[in-house]
Short mmCIF file of all heavy atoms in Angstrom, two decimals:
data_model
loop_
_atom_site.label_atom_id
_atom_site.label_comp_id
_atom_site.label_asym_id
_atom_site.label_seq_id
_atom_site.Cartn_x
_atom_site.Cartn_y
_atom_site.Cartn_z
N MET A 8 257.52 247.21 155.54
CA MET A 8 256.71 246.34 154.81
C MET A 8 255.32 246.10 155.62
O MET A 8 255.45 245.71 156.74
CB MET A 8 257.39 245.08 154.54
CG MET A 8 256.80 244.19 153.50
SD MET A 8 258.02 242.99 152.99
CE MET A 8 256.85 241.82 152.32
N THR A 9 254.27 246.24 154.93
CA THR A 9 252.91 246.18 155.68
C THR A 9 252.37 244.72 155.22
O THR A 9 252.42 244.39 154.12
CB THR A 9 252.03 247.18 155.37
OG1 THR A 9 251.69 247.14 153.99
CG2 THR A 9 252.56 248.62 155.80
N ALA A 10 251.91 244.19 156.32
CA ALA A 10 251.04 242.82 156.03
C ALA A 10 249.67 243.11 155.67
O ALA A 10 248.94 243.91 156.19
CB ALA A 10 251.14 242.01 157.26
N GLU A 11 249.31 242.53 154.55
CA GLU A 11 247.95 242.71 154.06
C GLU A 11 246.98 241.66 154.68
O GLU A 11 247.40 240.55 154.88
CB GLU A 11 247.85 242.57 152.51
CG GLU A 11 248.66 243.74 151.85
CD GLU A 11 248.43 243.61 150.39
OE1 GLU A 11 247.43 243.01 149.93
OE2 GLU A 11 249.20 244.11 149.64
N ARG A 12 245.75 242.10 154.99
CA ARG A 12 244.80 241.23 155.55
C ARG A 12 244.18 240.42 154.40
O ARG A 12 244.02 240.93 153.32
CB ARG A 12 243.66 242.14 156.22
CG ARG A 12 244.11 242.77 157.43
CD ARG A 12 243.07 243.65 158.02
NE ARG A 12 241.78 243.16 158.06
CZ ARG A 12 240.58 243.74 158.17
NH1 ARG A 12 240.65 245.01 158.37
NH2 ARG A 12 239.49 243.02 158.14
N PRO A 13 243.78 239.12 154.76
CA PRO A 13 243.14 238.43 153.67
C PRO A 13 241.82 238.92 153.29
O PRO A 13 241.10 239.49 154.16
CB PRO A 13 243.07 236.98 154.38
CG PRO A 13 243.15 237.14 155.77
CD PRO A 13 243.95 238.43 155.97
N LEU A 14 241.47 238.77 151.99
CA LEU A 14 240.24 239.29 151.58
C LEU A 14 239.05 238.45 152.06
O LEU A 14 237.84 238.89 152.20
CB LEU A 14 240.08 239.31 150.04
CG LEU A 14 241.17 240.26 149.45
CD1 LEU A 14 241.08 240.19 147.93
CD2 LEU A 14 240.79 241.73 149.90
N LEU A 15 239.25 237.07 152.31
CA LEU A 15 238.24 236.09 152.71
C LEU A 15 238.76 235.31 153.83
O LEU A 15 239.91 234.67 153.67
CB LEU A 15 237.82 235.33 151.37
CG LEU A 15 236.73 234.27 151.64
CD1 LEU A 15 235.46 234.95 152.10
CD2 LEU A 15 236.56 233.43 150.42
N HIS A 16 237.96 235.22 154.92
CA HIS A 16 238.45 234.39 156.03
C HIS A 16 237.30 233.51 156.45
O HIS A 16 236.24 233.90 156.75
CB HIS A 16 238.77 235.33 157.33
CG HIS A 16 239.20 234.41 158.38
ND1 HIS A 16 240.46 233.80 158.53
CD2 HIS A 16 238.63 234.23 159.56
CE1 HIS A 16 240.58 233.14 159.66
NE2 HIS A 16 239.49 233.43 160.38
N ILE A 17 237.51 232.16 156.28
CA ILE A 17 236.49 231.13 156.53
C ILE A 17 236.55 230.77 158.01
O ILE A 17 237.61 230.34 158.55
CB ILE A 17 236.60 229.92 155.62
CG1 ILE A 17 236.46 230.31 154.20
CG2 ILE A 17 235.56 228.88 155.98
CD1 ILE A 17 236.86 229.24 153.22
N VAL A 18 235.47 231.03 158.79
CA VAL A 18 235.49 230.92 160.26
C VAL A 18 235.05 229.40 160.58
O VAL A 18 235.69 228.98 161.46
CB VAL A 18 234.50 231.93 160.79
CG1 VAL A 18 234.38 231.84 162.29
CG2 VAL A 18 234.85 233.35 160.53
N GLY A 19 234.07 228.90 160.05
CA GLY A 19 233.61 227.56 160.37
C GLY A 19 233.47 226.62 159.22
O GLY A 19 233.41 227.02 158.05
N GLY A 20 233.20 225.42 159.50
CA GLY A 20 232.90 224.43 158.43
C GLY A 20 234.09 223.87 157.85
O GLY A 20 235.23 224.18 158.24
N ASN A 21 233.94 223.04 156.90
CA ASN A 21 235.06 222.47 156.17
C ASN A 21 234.65 222.47 154.61
O ASN A 21 234.35 221.58 154.02
CB ASN A 21 235.20 220.95 156.67
CG ASN A 21 236.47 220.47 156.10
OD1 ASN A 21 237.28 221.05 155.63
ND2 ASN A 21 236.58 219.10 156.12
N PRO A 22 234.78 223.69 154.03
CA PRO A 22 234.39 223.86 152.57
C PRO A 22 235.48 223.23 151.73
O PRO A 22 236.61 223.21 152.04
CB PRO A 22 234.26 225.36 152.46
CG PRO A 22 235.23 225.89 153.34
CD PRO A 22 235.19 225.06 154.56
N THR A 23 234.96 222.77 150.58
CA THR A 23 235.81 222.14 149.59
C THR A 23 236.38 223.38 148.81
O THR A 23 235.86 224.46 148.86
CB THR A 23 235.06 221.30 148.61
OG1 THR A 23 234.16 221.98 147.95
CG2 THR A 23 234.41 220.19 149.36
N PRO A 24 237.56 223.04 148.08
CA PRO A 24 238.10 224.14 147.29
C PRO A 24 237.09 224.73 146.31
O PRO A 24 237.11 226.02 145.99
CB PRO A 24 239.14 223.47 146.59
CG PRO A 24 239.64 222.40 147.46
CD PRO A 24 238.47 221.81 148.14
N GLU A 25 236.20 223.89 145.76
CA GLU A 25 235.33 224.25 144.76
C GLU A 25 234.20 225.18 145.43
O GLU A 25 233.86 226.25 144.88
CB GLU A 25 234.50 223.12 144.06
CG GLU A 25 235.32 222.22 143.31
CD GLU A 25 236.22 221.18 144.02
OE1 GLU A 25 235.88 221.11 145.13
OE2 GLU A 25 237.06 220.70 143.37
N GLU A 26 233.88 225.01 146.66
CA GLU A 26 232.88 225.92 147.34
C GLU A 26 233.48 227.19 147.60
O GLU A 26 232.87 228.25 147.46
CB GLU A 26 232.43 225.15 148.63
CG GLU A 26 231.53 224.03 148.36
CD GLU A 26 231.25 223.27 149.70
OE1 GLU A 26 231.88 223.29 150.59
OE2 GLU A 26 230.16 222.63 149.70
N VAL A 27 234.78 227.19 148.06
CA VAL A 27 235.56 228.39 148.30
C VAL A 27 235.65 229.26 147.05
O VAL A 27 235.51 230.46 147.00
CB VAL A 27 236.93 228.13 148.95
CG1 VAL A 27 237.64 229.42 149.12
CG2 VAL A 27 236.78 227.51 150.28
N ALA A 28 235.98 228.56 145.95
CA ALA A 28 236.07 229.30 144.72
C ALA A 28 234.68 229.84 144.21
O ALA A 28 234.66 230.93 143.72
CB ALA A 28 236.48 228.31 143.61
N ALA A 29 233.63 229.20 144.48
CA ALA A 29 232.25 229.72 144.11
C ALA A 29 231.93 230.96 144.90
O ALA A 29 231.46 231.87 144.38
CB ALA A 29 231.24 228.54 144.38
N VAL A 30 232.32 230.89 146.15
CA VAL A 30 231.97 232.09 147.15
C VAL A 30 232.87 233.18 146.63
O VAL A 30 232.40 234.43 146.57
CB VAL A 30 232.18 231.58 148.58
CG1 VAL A 30 232.07 232.89 149.33
CG2 VAL A 30 231.08 230.69 149.05
N THR A 31 234.04 232.91 146.32
CA THR A 31 234.94 234.09 145.94
C THR A 31 234.52 234.66 144.65
O THR A 31 234.64 235.81 144.49
CB THR A 31 236.38 233.46 145.65
OG1 THR A 31 236.93 232.74 146.90
CG2 THR A 31 237.40 234.50 145.37
N VAL A 32 234.10 233.83 143.63
CA VAL A 32 233.65 234.34 142.46
C VAL A 32 232.38 235.39 142.57
O VAL A 32 232.29 236.38 142.15
CB VAL A 32 233.21 233.26 141.46
CG1 VAL A 32 232.55 233.77 140.15
CG2 VAL A 32 234.46 232.51 140.99
N VAL A 33 231.52 234.87 143.45
CA VAL A 33 230.24 235.68 143.69
C VAL A 33 230.54 236.95 144.48
O VAL A 33 230.04 237.98 144.03
CB VAL A 33 229.29 234.89 144.57
CG1 VAL A 33 228.07 235.69 145.09
CG2 VAL A 33 228.72 233.63 143.83
N LEU A 34 231.43 236.88 145.43
CA LEU A 34 231.77 238.13 146.19
C LEU A 34 232.52 239.08 145.27
O LEU A 34 232.43 240.27 145.36
CB LEU A 34 232.68 237.74 147.40
CG LEU A 34 231.79 236.97 148.49
CD1 LEU A 34 232.67 236.71 149.65
CD2 LEU A 34 230.71 237.84 149.09
N THR A 35 233.46 238.43 144.45
CA THR A 35 234.19 239.40 143.47
C THR A 35 233.23 240.09 142.57
O THR A 35 233.44 241.24 142.26
CB THR A 35 235.17 238.65 142.85
OG1 THR A 35 236.11 237.91 143.80
CG2 THR A 35 236.11 239.25 141.83
N ALA A 36 232.27 239.29 142.04
CA ALA A 36 231.27 239.88 141.11
C ALA A 36 230.43 240.95 141.74
O ALA A 36 230.13 241.99 141.13
CB ALA A 36 230.48 238.87 140.55
N LEU A 37 230.16 240.81 143.00
CA LEU A 37 229.30 241.77 143.66
C LEU A 37 229.98 242.97 144.12
O LEU A 37 229.46 244.07 144.12
CB LEU A 37 228.67 241.10 144.93
CG LEU A 37 227.56 240.01 144.61
CD1 LEU A 37 227.12 239.50 146.06
CD2 LEU A 37 226.47 240.76 144.00
N SER A 38 231.34 242.96 144.37
CA SER A 38 232.02 244.08 144.82
C SER A 38 232.81 244.71 143.67
O SER A 38 233.45 245.73 143.83
CB SER A 38 232.97 243.61 145.90
OG SER A 38 234.09 242.81 145.38
N GLY A 39 232.82 244.08 142.48
CA GLY A 39 233.58 244.74 141.28
C GLY A 39 232.88 245.94 140.84
O GLY A 39 231.83 246.37 141.12
N GLU A 40 233.66 246.73 140.02
CA GLU A 40 233.26 247.94 139.53
C GLU A 40 232.15 247.68 138.46
O GLU A 40 232.33 246.74 137.66
CB GLU A 40 234.31 248.74 138.76
CG GLU A 40 235.37 249.28 139.89
CD GLU A 40 236.40 250.11 139.20
OE1 GLU A 40 236.19 250.72 138.14
OE2 GLU A 40 237.37 250.29 139.93
N GLN A 41 231.08 248.50 138.40
CA GLN A 41 230.03 248.30 137.38
C GLN A 41 230.44 249.28 136.29
O GLN A 41 231.23 250.23 136.46
CB GLN A 41 228.79 248.70 137.91
CG GLN A 41 228.30 247.70 139.05
CD GLN A 41 226.92 248.12 139.62
OE1 GLN A 41 226.40 249.19 139.23
NE2 GLN A 41 226.36 247.29 140.50
N GLU A 42 229.88 248.90 135.07
CA GLU A 42 230.21 249.69 133.91
C GLU A 42 229.57 251.04 134.10
O GLU A 42 228.37 251.09 134.56
CB GLU A 42 229.54 249.02 132.67
CG GLU A 42 230.31 247.81 132.13
CD GLU A 42 229.88 247.39 130.77
OE1 GLU A 42 229.30 248.13 130.09
OE2 GLU A 42 229.94 246.04 130.55
N PRO A 43 230.19 252.18 133.63
CA PRO A 43 229.59 253.47 133.69
C PRO A 43 228.37 253.39 132.73
O PRO A 43 228.41 252.71 131.76
CB PRO A 43 230.77 254.41 133.31
CG PRO A 43 231.61 253.52 132.59
CD PRO A 43 231.49 252.17 133.13
N PRO A 44 227.32 254.21 133.13
CA PRO A 44 226.24 254.29 132.18
C PRO A 44 226.57 254.85 130.83
O PRO A 44 227.58 255.72 130.85
CB PRO A 44 225.20 255.20 132.85
CG PRO A 44 226.01 255.97 133.92
CD PRO A 44 227.18 255.01 134.28
N GLY A 45 226.00 254.47 129.84
CA GLY A 45 226.30 254.90 128.41
C GLY A 45 225.84 256.43 128.25
O GLY A 45 225.22 257.03 129.24
N PRO A 46 226.15 256.94 127.11
CA PRO A 46 225.72 258.37 126.95
C PRO A 46 224.18 258.42 126.84
O PRO A 46 223.54 257.52 126.43
CB PRO A 46 226.33 258.60 125.56
CG PRO A 46 226.62 257.39 124.93
CD PRO A 46 226.81 256.39 126.05
N GLU A 47 223.65 259.53 127.54
CA GLU A 47 222.26 259.75 127.50
C GLU A 47 221.72 260.07 126.17
O GLU A 47 222.42 260.92 125.43
CB GLU A 47 221.87 260.66 128.55
CG GLU A 47 222.11 260.20 130.00
CD GLU A 47 221.40 260.98 130.95
OE1 GLU A 47 220.48 261.59 130.57
OE2 GLU A 47 221.97 261.01 132.19
N THR A 48 220.60 259.66 125.70
CA THR A 48 220.00 260.10 124.50
C THR A 48 219.06 261.17 124.71
O THR A 48 218.48 261.33 125.84
CB THR A 48 219.27 258.80 123.87
OG1 THR A 48 218.21 258.43 124.69
CG2 THR A 48 220.14 257.71 123.50
N GLY A 49 218.78 261.91 123.63
CA GLY A 49 217.87 263.06 123.88
C GLY A 49 216.35 262.75 123.83
O GLY A 49 215.61 263.61 123.94
N GLY A 50 216.07 261.53 123.62
CA GLY A 50 214.70 260.98 123.49
C GLY A 50 214.20 261.06 122.03
O GLY A 50 215.02 261.33 121.08
N ALA A 51 212.86 260.96 121.84
CA ALA A 51 212.30 260.85 120.54
C ALA A 51 212.33 262.21 119.86
O ALA A 51 212.41 262.35 118.70
CB ALA A 51 210.91 260.34 120.65
N TRP A 52 212.40 263.31 120.61
CA TRP A 52 212.37 264.62 119.93
C TRP A 52 213.59 264.93 119.23
O TRP A 52 213.62 265.74 118.24
CB TRP A 52 212.22 265.79 120.95
CG TRP A 52 213.28 265.89 121.99
CD1 TRP A 52 213.51 265.28 123.16
CD2 TRP A 52 214.56 266.65 121.71
NE1 TRP A 52 214.78 265.53 123.68
CE2 TRP A 52 215.35 266.58 122.83
CE3 TRP A 52 214.98 267.55 120.69
CZ2 TRP A 52 216.65 267.11 123.06
CZ3 TRP A 52 216.28 268.22 120.87
CH2 TRP A 52 217.05 267.96 122.01
N SER A 53 214.65 264.27 119.52
CA SER A 53 215.98 264.44 118.74
C SER A 53 216.21 263.48 117.65
O SER A 53 217.08 263.52 116.87
CB SER A 53 217.31 264.50 119.68
OG SER A 53 217.27 263.14 120.31
N ASP A 54 215.20 262.60 117.47
CA ASP A 54 215.24 261.45 116.37
C ASP A 54 214.94 262.08 115.00
O ASP A 54 213.75 262.47 114.86
CB ASP A 54 214.49 260.41 116.70
CG ASP A 54 214.64 259.14 115.78
OD1 ASP A 54 215.51 259.21 114.87
OD2 ASP A 54 213.88 258.22 115.88
N LEU A 55 215.86 262.37 114.20
CA LEU A 55 215.61 263.03 112.90
C LEU A 55 214.73 262.26 111.93
O LEU A 55 214.10 262.75 111.08
CB LEU A 55 216.90 263.46 112.23
CG LEU A 55 217.84 264.41 113.09
CD1 LEU A 55 219.08 264.66 112.32
CD2 LEU A 55 217.00 265.77 113.30
N SER A 56 214.80 260.91 112.24
CA SER A 56 213.99 260.10 111.26
C SER A 56 212.49 260.26 111.56
O SER A 56 211.66 260.06 110.58
CB SER A 56 214.34 258.62 111.43
OG SER A 56 213.93 258.19 112.73
N LEU A 57 212.11 260.83 112.69
CA LEU A 57 210.59 261.10 112.88
C LEU A 57 210.25 262.26 112.13
O LEU A 57 208.99 262.50 112.16
CB LEU A 57 210.42 261.22 114.37
CG LEU A 57 210.66 260.01 115.29
CD1 LEU A 57 210.46 260.30 116.68
CD2 LEU A 57 209.79 258.85 114.78
N ARG A 58 211.14 263.15 111.69
CA ARG A 58 210.71 264.32 110.86
C ARG A 58 210.38 264.01 109.36
O ARG A 58 209.82 264.77 108.65
CB ARG A 58 211.75 265.37 110.98
CG ARG A 58 212.12 265.89 112.27
CD ARG A 58 213.14 266.92 112.22
NE ARG A 58 213.49 267.32 113.57
CZ ARG A 58 214.43 268.24 113.83
NH1 ARG A 58 215.16 268.79 112.85
NH2 ARG A 58 214.70 268.50 115.03
N LEU A 59 210.76 262.83 108.97
CA LEU A 59 210.49 262.39 107.53
C LEU A 59 209.06 261.87 107.46
O LEU A 59 208.53 261.24 108.40
CB LEU A 59 211.53 261.26 107.23
CG LEU A 59 212.97 261.67 107.27
CD1 LEU A 59 213.80 260.37 106.98
CD2 LEU A 59 213.27 262.71 106.29
N ARG A 60 208.53 262.12 106.33
CA ARG A 60 207.07 261.76 106.21
C ARG A 60 207.08 260.40 105.71
O ARG A 60 207.98 259.80 105.04
CB ARG A 60 206.42 262.56 105.09
CG ARG A 60 206.28 263.93 105.40
CD ARG A 60 205.32 264.80 104.59
NE ARG A 60 204.00 264.02 104.61
CZ ARG A 60 202.93 264.49 103.97
NH1 ARG A 60 203.00 265.69 103.36
NH2 ARG A 60 201.76 263.94 104.03
N ARG A 61 206.08 259.61 106.13
CA ARG A 61 205.92 258.24 105.64
C ARG A 61 205.23 258.22 104.22
O ARG A 61 204.61 259.10 103.88
CB ARG A 61 204.88 257.46 106.70
CG ARG A 61 205.39 257.63 108.14
CD ARG A 61 206.70 256.83 108.27
NE ARG A 61 207.02 256.63 109.81
CZ ARG A 61 207.94 257.50 110.33
NH1 ARG A 61 208.63 258.43 109.64
NH2 ARG A 61 208.23 257.34 111.65
N PRO A 62 205.50 257.11 103.40
CA PRO A 62 204.81 257.12 102.22
C PRO A 62 203.34 257.02 102.39
O PRO A 62 202.83 256.37 103.27
CB PRO A 62 205.35 255.75 101.60
CG PRO A 62 206.26 255.27 102.62
CD PRO A 62 206.31 256.05 103.72
N LEU A 63 202.58 257.63 101.48
CA LEU A 63 201.14 257.70 101.51
C LEU A 63 200.60 256.48 100.71
O LEU A 63 201.00 256.13 99.62
CB LEU A 63 200.67 259.00 100.91
CG LEU A 63 201.08 260.23 101.58
CD1 LEU A 63 200.56 261.45 100.76
CD2 LEU A 63 200.40 260.32 103.10
N PRO A 64 199.64 255.73 101.37
CA PRO A 64 199.07 254.64 100.64
C PRO A 64 198.09 255.17 99.58
O PRO A 64 197.34 256.14 99.86
CB PRO A 64 198.33 253.97 101.72
CG PRO A 64 198.00 254.87 102.78
CD PRO A 64 199.21 255.83 102.80
N PRO A 65 198.12 254.56 98.51
CA PRO A 65 197.14 254.97 97.30
C PRO A 65 195.78 254.44 97.71
O PRO A 65 195.55 253.59 98.59
CB PRO A 65 197.66 254.25 96.13
CG PRO A 65 198.35 253.14 96.65
CD PRO A 65 198.87 253.42 97.99
N GLY A 66 194.73 255.19 97.37
CA GLY A 66 193.37 254.84 97.46
C GLY A 66 192.55 255.87 97.64
O GLY A 66 192.84 257.15 97.48
N PRO A 67 191.17 255.65 97.84
CA PRO A 67 190.18 256.81 98.04
C PRO A 67 190.53 257.65 99.23
O PRO A 67 190.87 257.21 100.24
CB PRO A 67 188.89 256.09 98.25
CG PRO A 67 189.03 254.61 97.82
CD PRO A 67 190.58 254.45 97.99
N GLY A 68 190.53 258.94 99.04
CA GLY A 68 190.80 259.93 100.04
C GLY A 68 192.35 260.16 100.30
O GLY A 68 192.67 260.78 101.18
N ALA A 69 193.12 259.59 99.51
CA ALA A 69 194.59 259.77 99.81
C ALA A 69 195.11 261.06 99.56
O ALA A 69 196.00 261.63 100.08
CB ALA A 69 195.47 258.72 98.86
N TRP A 70 194.41 261.90 98.57
CA TRP A 70 194.71 263.16 98.28
C TRP A 70 194.59 264.10 99.42
O TRP A 70 195.19 265.08 99.64
CB TRP A 70 193.94 263.61 97.05
CG TRP A 70 192.60 263.79 97.20
CD1 TRP A 70 191.60 262.74 97.02
CD2 TRP A 70 191.88 264.97 97.65
NE1 TRP A 70 190.38 263.23 97.28
CE2 TRP A 70 190.41 264.63 97.66
CE3 TRP A 70 192.14 266.25 97.94
CZ2 TRP A 70 189.35 265.40 98.07
CZ3 TRP A 70 191.13 267.22 98.29
CH2 TRP A 70 189.79 266.70 98.56
N ARG A 71 193.48 263.78 100.32
CA ARG A 71 193.31 264.62 101.47
C ARG A 71 194.52 264.37 102.46
O ARG A 71 194.77 265.27 103.15
CB ARG A 71 191.91 264.22 102.15
CG ARG A 71 190.86 264.71 101.32
CD ARG A 71 189.45 264.45 102.18
NE ARG A 71 188.35 264.76 101.31
CZ ARG A 71 187.49 263.76 100.90
NH1 ARG A 71 187.71 262.59 101.16
NH2 ARG A 71 186.61 264.02 100.09
N ALA A 72 194.99 263.18 102.46
CA ALA A 72 196.03 262.88 103.54
C ALA A 72 197.39 263.41 103.05
O ALA A 72 198.25 263.25 103.83
CB ALA A 72 196.08 261.31 103.67
N SER A 73 197.43 263.91 101.88
CA SER A 73 198.71 264.42 101.33
C SER A 73 199.20 265.75 101.83
O SER A 73 200.36 266.12 101.47
CB SER A 73 198.69 264.45 99.73
OG SER A 73 197.76 265.38 99.37
N THR A 74 198.39 266.52 102.53
CA THR A 74 198.68 267.69 103.01
C THR A 74 199.25 267.62 104.49
O THR A 74 199.05 266.68 105.19
CB THR A 74 197.52 268.72 102.97
OG1 THR A 74 196.53 268.17 103.95
CG2 THR A 74 196.91 268.83 101.66
N TRP A 75 200.05 268.64 104.79
CA TRP A 75 200.51 268.64 106.20
C TRP A 75 199.44 269.29 107.07
O TRP A 75 199.02 270.38 106.75
CB TRP A 75 201.82 269.69 106.22
CG TRP A 75 203.01 269.08 105.61
CD1 TRP A 75 203.36 269.44 104.28
CD2 TRP A 75 203.91 268.19 106.01
NE1 TRP A 75 204.55 268.71 104.03
CE2 TRP A 75 204.85 267.81 105.11
CE3 TRP A 75 204.03 267.52 107.35
CZ2 TRP A 75 206.09 267.09 105.39
CZ3 TRP A 75 205.15 266.78 107.56
CH2 TRP A 75 206.11 266.48 106.52
N SER A 76 199.01 268.54 108.00
CA SER A 76 197.90 269.14 108.83
C SER A 76 198.33 268.93 110.42
O SER A 76 199.13 268.35 110.65
CB SER A 76 196.64 268.56 108.57
OG SER A 76 196.50 267.16 108.37
#
């Protein structure tokens, strides 16, 4: 049977249980595993909605804007 070392050892002072709990929470949060990064996106070039044409506003010169240029 092996003896485990304590994770936190207070060397000096006289902390209250609330102070020890606060330090424990902070240290646990800092040392905890972080979430793995999400799936990478391909950027705007892979966004299929950008291939769709926008509706043309009616008005003077709208027929010129109706072509693919």
